[in-house]
Amino acid sequence: MSAETFLLRFVDGEPADLDVERFRREVEPYVVAGAPELGEVLLRAADGGTAELFVRGGGADGPTSLTAMHLSRGAVLDVLARLADALGAVVLPVGGAALLFHEDQRNHLPELLREAALVVPPTGAAVSEAIARS
């Protein structure tokens, strides 16, 4: 899975800020390079899988979002799914349907994303399978 994948939180159809402090706390145990306080990190999961995460936006730059790149398969997808769930974010794979972890997130999506959105459990396996299907 090398394509960019975005984690965004929506409120009333509009992008909303992610909790950057919660992001830092959630990823800290997996950081092997970079600095969570700077918003760019390389994560490594227990099985050796990795992902690069970049925090973008915030303040005058618009709502905060996360971009995940160079995602390995396996446990790092579990880390990503748990992170998105903890942040109240949806997973937006490039070219795929929005992945929700809770049905009540659907009403907050922009109208264009609502119908095709898929509700999946917050696990790496479920995220991987949903991306492959969409």
Side-chain angles (χ1 to χ4, degrees):
M1 296 186 87
S2 61
E4 290 181 334
T5 301
F6 302 95
L7 278 65
L8 289 122
R9 189 171 73 86
F10 292 97
V11 175
D12 297 329
E14 298 293 328
D17 277 330
L18 296 173
D19 183 336
V20 177
E21 289 305 315
R22 177 169 266 172
F23 159 75
R24 291 178 183 141
R25 286 192 309 269
E26 294 287 332
V27 300
E28 186 65 36
Y30 306 100
V31 173
V32 293
E37 63 275 2
L38 299 177
E40 297 184 11
V41 294
L42 175 65
L43 305 181
R44 180 168 292 125
D47 67 355
T50 60
E52 294 176 52
L53 293 182
F54 302 91
V55 178
R56 298 289 181 247
D61 294 329
T64 308
S65 67
L66 273 173
T67 303
M69 297 177 60
H70 308 291
L71 290 163
S72 301
R73 295 201 181 273
V76 78
L77 288 175
D78 287 316
V79 173
L80 185 72
R82 285 192 308 268
L83 175 62
D85 191 31
L87 295 172
V90 300
V91 177
L92 295 172
V94 171
L99 306 179
L100 316 174
F101 299 119
H102 307 282
E103 180 60 42
D104 61 348
Q105 290 176 301
R106 185 180 306 273
N107 291 333
H108 288 286
L109 289 174
E111 194 171 323
L112 291 174
L113 298 176
R114 285 182 197 155
E115 188 174 325
L118 303 171
V119 179
V120 299
T123 67
V127 167
S128 181
E129 182 180 323
I131 290 172
R133 285 189 319 209
S134 65

